[in-house]
Amino acid sequence: MSSAQAPGKIILFGEHAVVYGQPALAAPVTQVSAEVRIAAARRSGIWIEAPDIKVDRRLEALPTTHPIAVTIRNTLAALKASPPQAVTITIHSTIPVASGLGSGAAVSVALVRALAAYLQKRISNRSVNALAYETEKIHHGTPSGIDNTVITYARPVFFIKGQPIRTIRVRRPFTIVIGDTGVCATTREAVADVRTAWEHDPARFERLFESIGTVAKSARRAMQTGTPERLGPLMSENHALLQEMGVSSPELDHLVNCASKAGALGAKLSGGGRGGNMIALVPDGGETAVAESLLQAGARKTITTTIDPKGASL
Ligand code: PMV
Protein backbone atom coordinates (compact mmCIF):
# COMPACT_ATOMS: atom_id res chain seq x y z
CA MET A 1 0.00 0.00 0.00
CA SER A 2 1.25 3.50 -0.71
CA SER A 3 -0.33 6.93 -0.71
CA ALA A 4 0.60 10.52 -1.49
CA GLN A 5 -1.14 13.86 -1.20
CA ALA A 6 -0.68 17.16 -3.01
CA PRO A 7 -2.22 20.56 -2.20
CA GLY A 8 -4.17 22.94 -4.40
CA LYS A 9 -2.65 26.28 -5.32
CA ILE A 10 -3.46 29.89 -6.09
CA ILE A 11 -1.64 32.23 -8.39
CA LEU A 12 -1.09 35.41 -6.37
CA PHE A 13 0.31 37.49 -9.24
CA GLY A 14 1.34 37.15 -12.85
CA GLU A 15 -0.94 34.58 -14.52
CA HIS A 16 -0.93 34.66 -18.32
CA ALA A 17 2.05 37.04 -18.48
CA VAL A 18 4.09 34.14 -17.03
CA VAL A 19 3.51 32.20 -20.25
CA TYR A 20 5.47 35.00 -22.02
CA GLY A 21 8.47 34.94 -19.68
CA GLN A 22 7.33 37.37 -16.98
CA PRO A 23 7.65 36.42 -13.29
CA ALA A 24 4.65 35.14 -11.33
CA LEU A 25 3.99 34.27 -7.70
CA ALA A 26 2.00 31.30 -6.50
CA ALA A 27 1.30 29.63 -3.17
CA PRO A 28 0.01 26.23 -2.06
CA VAL A 29 -3.50 25.94 -0.61
CA THR A 30 -3.54 23.04 1.85
CA GLN A 31 -7.25 23.35 2.66
CA VAL A 32 -7.91 21.37 -0.51
CA SER A 33 -5.88 18.45 -1.85
CA ALA A 34 -5.62 15.47 -4.15
CA GLU A 35 -4.87 12.06 -2.70
CA VAL A 36 -3.70 8.92 -4.50
CA ARG A 37 -3.64 5.47 -2.88
CA ILE A 38 -2.20 2.38 -4.50
CA ALA A 39 -3.00 -1.07 -3.12
CA ALA A 40 -2.57 -4.65 -4.31
CA ALA A 41 -5.72 -5.95 -6.01
CA ARG A 42 -7.17 -9.43 -6.52
CA ARG A 43 -7.89 -8.74 -10.19
CA SER A 44 -4.95 -8.51 -12.58
CA GLY A 45 -3.83 -5.34 -14.29
CA ILE A 46 -3.79 -1.70 -13.20
CA TRP A 47 -7.23 -0.44 -12.17
CA ILE A 48 -8.05 3.24 -11.87
CA GLU A 49 -10.81 4.36 -9.51
CA ALA A 50 -11.39 8.10 -9.62
CA PRO A 51 -15.01 8.61 -8.51
CA ASP A 52 -14.77 12.44 -8.66
CA ILE A 53 -14.30 12.25 -12.43
CA LYS A 54 -16.40 9.09 -12.83
CA VAL A 55 -13.53 6.87 -13.89
CA ASP A 56 -13.54 3.20 -12.83
CA ARG A 57 -11.74 1.04 -15.33
CA ARG A 58 -8.53 -0.66 -16.35
CA LEU A 59 -5.66 1.56 -17.39
CA GLU A 60 -5.71 0.12 -20.93
CA ALA A 61 -9.35 1.17 -21.29
CA LEU A 62 -8.45 4.85 -20.80
CA PRO A 63 -7.61 6.83 -23.93
CA THR A 64 -3.82 6.84 -24.39
CA THR A 65 -3.83 10.64 -24.11
CA HIS A 66 -5.78 10.66 -20.83
CA PRO A 67 -3.74 12.66 -18.26
CA ILE A 68 -3.82 9.78 -15.75
CA ALA A 69 -2.63 7.25 -18.36
CA VAL A 70 0.12 9.60 -19.56
CA THR A 71 1.32 10.26 -16.00
CA ILE A 72 1.48 6.55 -15.17
CA ARG A 73 3.27 5.65 -18.41
CA ASN A 74 5.81 8.46 -18.11
CA THR A 75 6.46 7.73 -14.44
CA LEU A 76 7.09 4.02 -15.06
CA ALA A 77 9.48 4.96 -17.89
CA ALA A 78 11.32 7.54 -15.76
CA LEU A 79 11.68 5.05 -12.89
CA LYS A 80 12.72 2.30 -15.33
CA ALA A 81 10.07 0.11 -13.71
CA SER A 82 7.75 -2.46 -15.22
CA PRO A 83 4.02 -1.97 -14.61
CA PRO A 84 2.73 -3.46 -11.34
CA GLN A 85 0.77 -6.65 -11.99
CA ALA A 86 -2.42 -6.30 -9.96
CA VAL A 87 -3.12 -2.94 -8.31
CA THR A 88 -5.92 -0.48 -7.76
CA ILE A 89 -5.01 3.19 -7.97
CA THR A 90 -7.63 5.25 -6.14
CA ILE A 91 -7.73 8.99 -6.79
CA HIS A 92 -9.73 11.45 -4.67
CA SER A 93 -9.62 15.20 -4.83
CA THR A 94 -11.31 18.03 -2.97
CA ILE A 95 -9.88 20.56 -5.43
CA PRO A 96 -12.61 21.84 -7.76
CA VAL A 97 -11.80 21.09 -11.41
CA ALA A 98 -11.38 23.78 -14.10
CA SER A 99 -11.36 26.58 -11.55
CA GLY A 100 -7.74 27.73 -11.33
CA LEU A 101 -6.82 25.84 -8.15
CA GLY A 102 -4.44 23.38 -9.78
CA SER A 103 -6.56 20.22 -9.61
CA GLY A 104 -4.86 18.57 -12.61
CA ALA A 105 -1.33 19.28 -11.41
CA ALA A 106 -2.12 18.11 -7.87
CA VAL A 107 -3.41 14.74 -9.14
CA SER A 108 -0.29 14.34 -11.29
CA VAL A 109 2.11 15.15 -8.44
CA ALA A 110 0.34 12.83 -5.98
CA LEU A 111 0.13 10.05 -8.59
CA VAL A 112 3.85 10.23 -9.46
CA ARG A 113 4.84 10.14 -5.76
CA ALA A 114 2.41 7.34 -4.88
CA LEU A 115 3.66 5.21 -7.80
CA ALA A 116 7.30 5.74 -6.87
CA ALA A 117 6.55 4.83 -3.24
CA TYR A 118 4.59 1.72 -4.27
CA LEU A 119 7.49 0.57 -6.45
CA GLN A 120 9.93 1.45 -3.63
CA LYS A 121 11.86 3.83 -5.87
CA ARG A 122 13.28 7.14 -4.73
CA ILE A 123 12.27 10.12 -6.81
CA SER A 124 13.56 13.69 -6.57
CA ASN A 125 11.29 16.74 -6.47
CA ARG A 126 12.88 17.79 -9.73
CA SER A 127 11.74 14.56 -11.44
CA VAL A 128 8.26 14.77 -9.91
CA ASN A 129 8.01 18.32 -11.22
CA ALA A 130 9.23 17.35 -14.70
CA LEU A 131 6.75 14.47 -14.94
CA ALA A 132 3.83 16.62 -13.75
CA TYR A 133 4.83 19.26 -16.30
CA GLU A 134 4.55 16.72 -19.14
CA THR A 135 0.96 16.03 -18.09
CA GLU A 136 0.21 19.76 -17.75
CA LYS A 137 0.88 20.02 -21.48
CA ILE A 138 -2.19 17.85 -22.08
CA HIS A 139 -4.34 20.00 -19.80
CA HIS A 140 -3.11 23.38 -20.97
CA GLY A 141 -1.39 23.18 -24.35
CA THR A 142 1.46 25.58 -23.61
CA PRO A 143 1.75 25.71 -19.82
CA SER A 144 4.33 27.90 -18.12
CA GLY A 145 4.95 25.17 -15.51
CA ILE A 146 3.96 27.30 -12.52
CA ASP A 147 1.15 24.97 -11.34
CA ASN A 148 3.23 21.80 -11.19
CA THR A 149 6.15 23.71 -9.61
CA VAL A 150 4.24 25.31 -6.71
CA ILE A 151 2.40 22.04 -6.04
CA THR A 152 5.53 19.85 -6.19
CA TYR A 153 7.48 22.05 -3.80
CA ALA A 154 4.44 23.06 -1.68
CA ARG A 155 6.01 26.42 -0.89
CA PRO A 156 5.27 29.97 -2.09
CA VAL A 157 7.28 30.39 -5.31
CA PHE A 158 8.57 33.21 -7.50
CA PHE A 159 8.45 31.56 -10.88
CA ILE A 160 10.00 32.46 -14.22
CA LYS A 161 9.43 29.99 -17.04
CA GLY A 162 12.52 27.91 -17.77
CA GLN A 163 14.47 29.20 -14.75
CA PRO A 164 15.41 27.26 -11.61
CA ILE A 165 12.75 27.29 -8.92
CA ARG A 166 12.93 30.09 -6.35
CA THR A 167 10.90 29.82 -3.16
CA ILE A 168 9.85 33.02 -1.39
CA ARG A 169 10.66 33.77 2.23
CA VAL A 170 7.42 35.29 3.46
CA ARG A 171 8.51 37.57 6.29
CA ARG A 172 5.00 38.20 7.70
CA PRO A 173 2.03 35.87 7.15
CA PHE A 174 -1.02 37.21 5.37
CA THR A 175 -4.54 35.91 4.84
CA ILE A 176 -6.33 35.37 1.57
CA VAL A 177 -10.00 34.58 1.03
CA ILE A 178 -10.63 32.57 -2.14
CA GLY A 179 -14.05 32.90 -3.78
CA ASP A 180 -15.35 30.42 -6.36
CA THR A 181 -17.59 31.86 -9.08
CA GLY A 182 -18.86 28.33 -9.73
CA VAL A 183 -18.24 28.92 -13.44
CA CYS A 184 -16.03 26.23 -15.00
CA ALA A 185 -13.59 27.67 -17.49
CA THR A 186 -10.74 25.96 -19.28
CA THR A 187 -7.31 27.48 -18.93
CA ARG A 188 -6.41 26.08 -22.34
CA GLU A 189 -9.04 28.30 -24.02
CA ALA A 190 -8.13 31.45 -22.08
CA VAL A 191 -4.42 30.92 -22.83
CA ALA A 192 -5.20 30.33 -26.53
CA ASP A 193 -7.34 33.50 -26.71
CA VAL A 194 -4.57 35.59 -25.15
CA ARG A 195 -2.17 34.17 -27.72
CA THR A 196 -4.47 35.15 -30.59
CA ALA A 197 -4.94 38.65 -29.17
CA TRP A 198 -1.15 39.00 -28.67
CA GLU A 199 -0.56 37.96 -32.28
CA HIS A 200 -3.01 40.64 -33.46
CA ASP A 201 -1.55 43.42 -31.31
CA PRO A 202 1.86 42.37 -30.00
CA ALA A 203 2.91 45.85 -28.85
CA ARG A 204 -0.18 46.33 -26.65
CA PHE A 205 0.01 42.85 -25.17
CA GLU A 206 3.73 43.03 -24.49
CA ARG A 207 3.13 46.28 -22.59
CA LEU A 208 0.45 44.51 -20.54
CA PHE A 209 2.72 41.51 -19.86
CA GLU A 210 5.55 43.79 -18.76
CA SER A 211 3.29 45.79 -16.44
CA ILE A 212 2.15 42.54 -14.84
CA GLY A 213 5.78 41.45 -14.46
CA THR A 214 6.56 44.74 -12.68
CA VAL A 215 3.62 44.18 -10.31
CA ALA A 216 4.84 40.63 -9.58
CA LYS A 217 8.34 41.88 -8.72
CA SER A 218 6.93 44.53 -6.35
CA ALA A 219 4.76 41.86 -4.74
CA ARG A 220 7.75 39.63 -4.12
CA ARG A 221 9.52 42.54 -2.41
CA ALA A 222 6.48 43.22 -0.21
CA MET A 223 6.40 39.57 0.89
CA GLN A 224 10.10 39.42 1.59
CA THR A 225 10.22 42.70 3.49
CA GLY A 226 7.24 41.89 5.70
CA THR A 227 4.87 44.48 4.24
CA PRO A 228 2.05 42.29 2.94
CA GLU A 229 -0.49 45.14 3.17
CA ARG A 230 1.21 46.51 0.05
CA LEU A 231 -0.04 43.47 -1.82
CA GLY A 232 -3.62 44.81 -1.79
CA PRO A 233 -3.21 47.65 -4.29
CA LEU A 234 -0.89 45.44 -6.35
CA MET A 235 -3.65 42.81 -6.60
CA SER A 236 -6.15 45.40 -7.78
CA GLU A 237 -3.65 46.67 -10.35
CA ASN A 238 -3.00 43.12 -11.56
CA HIS A 239 -6.75 42.50 -11.87
CA ALA A 240 -7.21 45.64 -13.98
CA LEU A 241 -4.42 44.47 -16.32
CA LEU A 242 -6.04 41.02 -16.62
CA GLN A 243 -9.36 42.71 -17.44
CA GLU A 244 -7.61 44.60 -20.23
CA MET A 245 -6.26 41.28 -21.50
CA GLY A 246 -9.83 39.99 -21.73
CA VAL A 247 -9.55 37.10 -19.27
CA SER A 248 -11.87 38.36 -16.53
CA SER A 249 -15.65 37.83 -16.54
CA PRO A 250 -18.70 39.62 -15.10
CA GLU A 251 -18.86 37.05 -12.27
CA LEU A 252 -15.18 37.51 -11.38
CA ASP A 253 -15.46 41.33 -11.53
CA HIS A 254 -18.56 41.21 -9.33
CA LEU A 255 -16.83 39.13 -6.63
CA VAL A 256 -13.69 41.29 -6.81
CA ASN A 257 -15.81 44.45 -6.26
CA CYS A 258 -17.79 42.88 -3.42
CA ALA A 259 -14.61 41.81 -1.65
CA SER A 260 -13.22 45.34 -1.82
CA LYS A 261 -16.48 46.81 -0.49
CA ALA A 262 -16.42 44.31 2.38
CA GLY A 263 -12.99 45.50 3.51
CA ALA A 264 -10.49 43.53 1.41
CA LEU A 265 -7.20 45.37 0.84
CA GLY A 266 -7.23 44.24 -2.79
CA ALA A 267 -8.60 41.46 -4.97
CA LYS A 268 -8.08 39.81 -8.33
CA LEU A 269 -8.94 36.79 -10.39
CA SER A 270 -6.56 33.86 -9.91
CA GLY A 271 -5.50 31.39 -12.59
CA GLY A 272 -6.73 31.17 -16.15
CA GLY A 273 -9.76 33.42 -15.54
CA ARG A 274 -13.13 33.64 -17.38
CA GLY A 275 -14.56 31.85 -14.33
CA GLY A 276 -13.01 29.78 -11.58
CA ASN A 277 -11.69 31.54 -8.51
CA MET A 278 -10.80 35.02 -7.35
CA ILE A 279 -8.66 35.92 -4.34
CA ALA A 280 -8.88 38.78 -1.86
CA LEU A 281 -6.24 39.98 0.61
CA VAL A 282 -7.92 40.62 3.95
CA PRO A 283 -6.75 42.65 6.95
CA ASP A 284 -6.29 40.83 10.30
CA GLY A 285 -9.71 39.70 11.49
CA GLY A 286 -11.39 40.74 8.24
CA GLU A 287 -11.80 37.29 6.71
CA THR A 288 -15.32 36.53 7.96
CA ALA A 289 -16.82 39.77 6.62
CA VAL A 290 -15.20 39.26 3.20
CA ALA A 291 -16.13 35.56 2.99
CA GLU A 292 -19.75 36.28 3.97
CA SER A 293 -20.06 39.09 1.48
CA LEU A 294 -18.66 36.85 -1.29
CA LEU A 295 -21.19 34.12 -0.49
CA GLN A 296 -24.00 36.69 -0.48
CA ALA A 297 -22.76 37.96 -3.83
CA GLY A 298 -23.14 34.48 -5.32
CA ALA A 299 -19.81 32.74 -4.66
CA ARG A 300 -20.32 28.98 -4.68
CA LYS A 301 -17.75 28.48 -1.94
CA THR A 302 -14.99 30.33 -0.10
CA ILE A 303 -11.71 29.10 1.35
CA THR A 304 -9.65 31.11 3.81
CA THR A 305 -5.93 30.39 3.71
CA THR A 306 -2.87 31.93 5.31
CA ILE A 307 0.33 32.29 3.36
CA ASP A 308 3.12 31.82 5.84
CA PRO A 309 6.90 31.47 5.80
CA LYS A 310 6.90 27.70 5.68
CA GLY A 311 4.16 27.13 3.13
CA ALA A 312 2.66 23.68 3.32
CA SER A 313 4.40 20.84 5.06
CA LEU A 314 3.77 17.57 3.30
O1 PMV B 1 -4.27 26.40 -14.14
P1 PMV B 1 -4.68 27.79 -13.91
O2 PMV B 1 -6.06 28.11 -14.35
O3 PMV B 1 -4.36 28.24 -12.53
O4 PMV B 1 -3.79 28.73 -14.85
C1 PMV B 1 -2.43 28.71 -14.86
C2 PMV B 1 -1.89 30.06 -15.10
C3 PMV B 1 -1.74 30.56 -16.54
O5 PMV B 1 -0.75 31.56 -16.45
C4 PMV B 1 -3.03 31.16 -17.03
C5 PMV B 1 -1.29 29.47 -17.50
C6 PMV B 1 0.14 29.00 -17.28
O6 PMV B 1 0.48 27.98 -17.90
O7 PMV B 1 0.92 29.63 -16.56
Side-chain angles (χ1 to χ4, degrees):
M1 214 324 260
S2 76
S3 71
Q5 259 197 342
K9 69 99 213 337
I10 44 174
I11 296 192
L12 293 166
F13 294 93
E15 49 274 271
H16 287 290
V18 68
V19 175
Y20 298 82
Q22 294 295 331
L25 283 87
V29 175
T30 50
Q31 286 77 4
V32 285
S33 61
E35 184 176 21
V36 175
R37 283 170 184 274
I38 306 184
R42 291 232 176 87
R43 47 194 183 177
S44 67
I46 299 178
W47 289 81
I48 313 294
E49 288 181 10
D52 305 321
I53 52 165
K54 299 190 172 52
V55 169
D56 181 6
R57 60 183 92 146
R58 270 178 90 121
L59 177 61
E60 299 83 64
L62 285 180
T64 48
T65 54
H66 191 288
I68 293 173
V70 170
T71 308
I72 294 173
R73 236 183 10 248
N74 287 348
T75 305
L76 291 173
L79 295 172
K80 298 188 174 55
S82 35
Q85 288 309 303
V87 291
T88 301
I89 300 180
T90 311
I91 302 172
H92 282 289
S93 175
T94 55
I95 310 172
V97 293
S99 64
L101 293 186
S103 64
V107 167
S108 302
V109 166
L111 181 52
V112 171
R113 288 205 171 116
L115 257 178
Y118 189 81
L119 298 164
Q120 297 181 321
K121 302 264 189 185
R122 289 175 68 87
I123 187 160
S124 65
N125 282 339
R126 181 194 278 258
S127 302
V128 172
N129 198 19
L131 286 161
Y133 181 60
E134 284 309 305
T135 306
E136 283 294 281
K137 289 183 189 163
I138 305 171
H139 289 297
H140 285 184
T142 54
S144 63
I146 189 167
D147 282 18
N148 46 282
T149 301
V150 64
I151 289 170
T152 297
Y153 290 89
R155 294 255 185 286
V157 296
F158 179 80
F159 179 88
I160 301 176
K161 191 176 167 182
Q163 292 195 8
I165 139 130
R166 273 177 271 186
T167 52
I168 307 174
R169 279 203 328 130
V170 179
R171 180 71 59 96
R172 246 182 55 216
F174 55 93
T175 300
I176 298 279
V177 175
I178 305 167
D180 189 350
T181 60
V183 178
C184 287
T186 72
T187 300
R188 178 186 271 274
E189 251 170 58
V191 169
D193 289 352
V194 170
R195 184 164 296 277
T196 307
W198 167 66
E199 279 162 3
H200 277 101
D201 193 348
R204 177 164 166 260
F205 271 74
E206 262 144 43
R207 264 198 313 277
L208 288 170
F209 297 150
E210 267 170 42
S211 304
I212 290 177
T214 306
V215 168
K217 285 183 217 150
S218 306
R220 179 200 201 189
R221 229 170 295 128
M223 285 188 217
Q224 289 182 329
T225 55
T227 51
E229 62 285 355
R230 292 202 187 147
L231 298 174
L234 291 169
M235 277 188 185
S236 304
E237 193 179 335
N238 197 159
H239 186 70
L241 291 162
L242 288 161
Q243 282 176 316
E244 277 192 60
M245 277 167 57
V247 292
S248 193
S249 71
E251 292 86 354
L252 282 165
D253 292 344
H254 181 54
L255 294 187
V256 164
N257 289 336
C258 287
S260 300
K261 284 198 194 117
L265 303 171
K268 64 181 274 295
L269 70 85
S270 179
R274 298 272 168 81
N277 283 272
M278 49 72 69
I279 56 174
L281 176 73
V282 294
D284 286 348
E287 56 268 28
T288 309
V290 170
E292 274 172 8
S293 124
L294 288 174
L295 289 170
Q296 266 167 23
R300 180 74 54 88
K301 189 183 169 204
T302 64
I303 299 170
T304 299
T305 189
T306 297
I307 314 295
D308 66 30
K310 292 188 293 305
S313 52
L314 286 180

